[in-house]
């Protein structure tokens, strides 16, 4: 037998009325297991640029990595194609499935492609060129946009930081009914596992974050730093609907890697995910709806930043900034429209240095202690109560303490992206893996 390493990338195998790429991947893993010699990694869930306009939810793509008898590799693509056509709602205009197969080592060109897909918008034509240059077998439907995520998932080795997500799936024919995830069991699980898992609940509203809202097959997902912990945490969660299957993904969620590009203001383009090192140019203002708008500048230009109402108390941190404060904003670029200019939608904020806030007032009278008035230009101050005059006295300057901590500030958990590095992981990194056994399970 000649062993061959295979990576399959897939994306956009879903529709708003049911189905999602990770669920499809769990079915495919079960099917492929009959011919796979060895799973080389956990299934990979790769989150890509969260600010592109085409995504349905969290812009996630999946890669499966395994070794197989090379004589069987040709049968994989036609059988996946059949499965996709049976599973996805191809007729829906925003469902454009793509599945790509890469044999052997991952070409550098794909690694570069992935880096770009994490923060920019990639045209379908670029994916098509890469597919043909690298001669990769693929299958695509609709406008073929799914090939972008499929290629990017293959090209992501998860070689730097990574986390895990345990996803439980319900049966496809229960997708229109409530999941019935038991809140009490989730709060208990969170109390027990909060050092080892993250994004279980939103503490400001006490709402559950493990269960999605839409009619998709995901029952709940538990995110954490190691597979044993997410597995144990999941065993503590109760729900009315049963988990029909589950799978643990290794993922780039909670790594913040979509914000690694530091971009100057004049180079910002719609839908980029970026960090911008800048200075506050105008004091913040609150607009209708409770959103906070802040104007910042760097040496190349100025731009408005928006902290929207759902970001919670994060808005008030933004609202406390003053002209001259040095910050790094983490943001997605919102295109200009009839009503606003190109805007940075804030996903986070690093406060680097803050200016002194000084309150200037007329001095107190040395004779009677009451507030003095100006005696005229360059004439000092006079007291209207006791008549005392003083031409040498200066205005009082009071330094007001700024309640802003230097460092990273994030929106409330429910307003964070899948890719956002949460506060609990700010200083945490997972080490690269060398050799492992994939864990997935169909009860
Ligand atoms: P689900 O969570 O159900 O998988 P989703 O939020 O991942 O949904 P998709 O329905 O998969 O969204 O749609 C996203 C589409 O955008 C896919 O076709 C994917 O290939 C494509 N895509 C991903 N990243 C980029 C990018 N950087 N530039 C352009 N297109 C992209």
């Amino acid at each position: 037998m000649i062993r061959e390493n295979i990576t399959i990338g897939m994306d956009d195998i879903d529709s708003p009325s049911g189905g999602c790429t990770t669920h499809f991947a769990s079915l495919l893993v079960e099917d492929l297991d009959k011919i796979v010699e060895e799973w080389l990694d956990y299934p990979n869930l790769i989150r890509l640029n969260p600010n592109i306009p085409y995504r349905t939810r969290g812009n996630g793509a999946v890669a499966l990595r395994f070794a197989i008898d090379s004589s069987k590799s040709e049968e994989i693509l036609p059988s996946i194609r059949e499965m996709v056509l049976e599973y996805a709602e191809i007729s829906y205009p925003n469902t454009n499935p793509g599945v790509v197969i890469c044999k052997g080592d991952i070409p550098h060109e794909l690694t570069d492609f992935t880096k770009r897909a994490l923060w920019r918008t990639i045209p379908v034509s670029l994916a098509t060129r890469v597919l043909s240059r690298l001669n990769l077998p693929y299958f695509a439907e609709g406008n073929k946009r799914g090939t972008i995520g499929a290629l990017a998932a293959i090209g992501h080795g998860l070689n730097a930081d990574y986390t895990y997500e345990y996803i439980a799936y319900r049966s496809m024919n229960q997708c229109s009914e409530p999941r019935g995830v038991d809140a009490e069991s989730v709060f208990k699980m969170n109390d027990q596992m909060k050092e080892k898992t993250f994004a279980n609940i939103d503490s400001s509203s006490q709402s559950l974050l493990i269960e999605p809202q839409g009619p998709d097959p995901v029952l709940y997902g538990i995110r954490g730093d190691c597979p044993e912990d997410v597995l144990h945490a999941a065993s503590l969660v109760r729900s009315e609907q049963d988990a029909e299957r589950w799978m643990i993904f290794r993922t780039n969620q909670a790594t913040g890697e979509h914000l690694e590009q530091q971009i100057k203001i004049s180079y910002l383009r719609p839908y980029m995910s970026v960090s911008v090192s800048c200075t506050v140019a105008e004091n913040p203002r609150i607009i209708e709806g409770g959103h906070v708008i802040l104007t910042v500048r760097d040496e190349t230009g100025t731009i408005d930043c928006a902290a929207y109402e759902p970001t919670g108390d994060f808005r008030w941190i933004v609202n406390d900034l003053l002209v001259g404060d040095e910050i790094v904003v983490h943001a997605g670029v919102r295109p200009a429209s009839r009503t606003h200019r190109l805007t940075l939608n804030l996903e986070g904020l690093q406060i680097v240095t803050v200016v002194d806030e000084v309150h200037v007032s007329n001095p107190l009278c040395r004779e009677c202690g009451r507030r003095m008035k100006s005696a005229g230009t360059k004439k000092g101050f006079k007291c209207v109560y006791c008549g005392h005059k003083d031409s040498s006295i200066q205005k009082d300057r009071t330094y007001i303490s700024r309640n802003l901590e230097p460092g990273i500030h994030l929106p409330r958990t429910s307003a964070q992206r899948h890719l956002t590095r949460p506060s609990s992981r700010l200083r945490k990194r997972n080490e690269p893996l060398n050799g492992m056994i994939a864990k997935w399970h169909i009860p």
Side-chain angles (χ1 to χ4, degrees):
M1 178 192 87
I2 301 170
R3 222 174 102 117
E4 193 167 41
N5 286 354
I6 304 265
T7 307
I8 303 179
M10 66 202 81
D11 200 359
D12 219 331
I13 308 177
D14 55 27
S15 73
S17 57
C20 74
T21 308
T22 70
H23 178 250
F24 176 81
S26 76
L27 300 173
L28 182 57
V29 163
E30 186 182 350
D31 195 61
L32 285 171
D33 198 50
K34 296 171 200 143
I35 53 167
V36 162
E37 293 291 325
E38 186 187 359
W39 291 97
L40 302 174
D41 195 352
Y42 289 79
N44 296 168
L45 166 56
I46 306 299
R47 298 283 177 186
L48 300 165
N49 184 357
N51 292 300
I52 59 154
Y54 323 108
R55 71 201 164 84
T56 316
R57 288 167 288 245
N59 200 11
V62 172
L64 304 176
R65 301 175 199 275
F66 53 88
I68 193 178
D69 177 346
S70 65
S71 66
K72 297 189 175 141
S73 64
E74 296 308 314
E75 65 191 68
I76 295 176
L77 194 58
S79 108
I80 299 179
R81 181 173 185 276
E82 227 170 86
M83 275 180 81
V84 172
L85 293 177
E86 210 174 292
Y87 182 91
E89 280 183 47
I90 307 287
S91 56
Y92 182 71
N94 204 26
T95 295
N96 304 293
V99 177
V100 178
I101 298 202
C102 178
K103 297 179 182 176
D105 294 341
I106 307 300
H108 286 303
E109 190 171 351
L110 280 194
T111 318
D112 293 343
F113 185 91
T114 306
K115 283 188 186 142
R116 202 174 153 86
L118 282 163
W119 73 284
R120 295 217 60 163
T121 310
I122 293 185
V124 177
S125 57
L126 176 58
T128 311
R129 276 204 304 280
V130 170
L131 285 166
S132 99
R133 232 179 354 247
L134 298 175
N135 202 17
L136 298 174
Y138 75 98
F139 147 70
E141 281 287 327
N143 65 15
K144 300 193 163 103
R145 186 170 292 119
T147 55
I148 298 172
L151 284 167
I154 294 174
H156 201 312
L158 289 170
N159 294 321
D161 189 21
Y162 56 87
T163 61
Y164 292 87
E165 180 164 0
Y166 169 107
I167 304 184
Y169 300 97
R170 54 186 174 168
S171 151
M172 282 291 269
N173 51 34
Q174 289 190 321
C175 286
S176 53
E177 288 147 39
R179 293 170 172 84
V181 174
D182 175 47
E184 204 183 318
S185 72
V186 179
F187 284 111
K188 270 194 188 158
M189 176 277 283
N190 189 58
D191 284 345
Q192 201 179 316
M193 301 295 291
K194 62 172 166 269
E195 306 297 320
K196 295 171 171 169
T197 56
F198 45 82
N200 296 320
I201 55 170
D202 182 284
S203 53
S204 53
S205 61
Q206 294 291 296
S207 55
L208 304 193
L209 299 179
I210 66 165
E211 64 171 336
Q213 299 307 315
D216 55 278
V218 174
L219 185 56
Y220 57 84
I222 304 212
R223 293 152 277 220
D225 279 302
C226 99
E228 289 76 16
D229 289 337
V230 292
L231 194 58
H232 177 61
S235 73
L236 305 174
V237 174
R238 306 273 163 266
S239 60
E240 271 166 35
Q241 288 190 333
D242 289 331
E244 187 192 64
R245 59 184 57 246
W246 57 265
M247 195 148 82
I248 294 179
F249 292 88
R250 198 157 76 91
T251 170
N252 62 344
Q253 288 175 170
T255 62
E257 66 173 3
H258 64 307
L259 300 168
E260 277 169 14
Q261 302 294 326
Q262 289 256 1
I263 302 295
K264 296 283 175 212
I265 290 172
S266 65
Y267 293 106
L268 294 171
R269 297 290 177 272
Y271 311 120
M272 284 177 171
S273 294
V274 289
S275 293
V276 180
S277 190
C278 52
T279 307
V280 176
E282 282 172 34
N283 286 342
R285 52 205 184 272
I286 302 172
I287 60 165
E288 205 182 320
H291 316 300
V292 174
I293 307 295
L294 174 77
T295 308
V296 298
R297 65 174 157 76
D298 68 8
E299 65 276 23
T300 69
T302 65
I303 190 164
D304 286 344
C305 304
Y308 296 108
E309 191 276 336
T311 61
D313 289 348
F314 173 72
R315 282 168 306 158
W316 308 132
I317 294 168
V318 175
N319 196 48
D320 279 348
L321 291 166
L322 289 180
V323 170
D325 289 345
E326 305 276 340
I327 56 177
V328 180
V329 298
H330 303 160
V333 185
R334 178 178 172 184
S337 72
R338 267 190 304 117
T339 52
H340 55 76
R341 301 185 293 161
L342 199 71
T343 302
L344 287 172
N345 287 351
L346 293 181
E347 293 180 17
L349 170 74
Q350 184 190 352
I351 297 181
V352 182
T353 52
V354 292
V355 293
D356 287 331
E357 184 175 5
V358 186
H359 187 250
V360 182
S361 56
N362 287 350
L364 297 178
C365 174
R366 282 182 188 150
E367 295 297 324
C368 70
R370 286 188 269 197
R371 189 78 56 203
M372 300 178 87
K373 283 225 159 120
S374 169
T377 313
K378 294 194 177 153
K379 288 190 183 148
F381 291 88
K382 64 180 178 200
C383 179
V384 292
Y385 302 99
C386 69
H388 176 69
K389 285 190 179 169
D390 192 333
S391 58
S392 62
I393 198 166
Q394 301 288 318
K395 286 200 172 206
D396 281 345
R397 296 169 73 81
T398 316
Y399 287 85
I400 297 164
S401 107
R402 305 277 312 273
N403 287 326
L404 287 177
E405 292 286 322
I408 306 274
H409 297 267
L410 295 173
R412 59 192 280 193
T413 316
S414 59
Q416 292 176 14
R417 304 288 200 186
H418 292 279
L419 275 163
T420 302
R421 178 177 286 283
S423 329
S424 61
R425 298 197 80 248
L426 284 182
R427 273 171 288 281
K428 224 185 243 179
R429 302 287 182 278
N430 262 327
E431 293 297 317
L433 289 185
N434 316 304
M436 80 208 69
I437 301 161
K439 290 188 186 166
W440 50 271
H441 178 67
I442 302 109

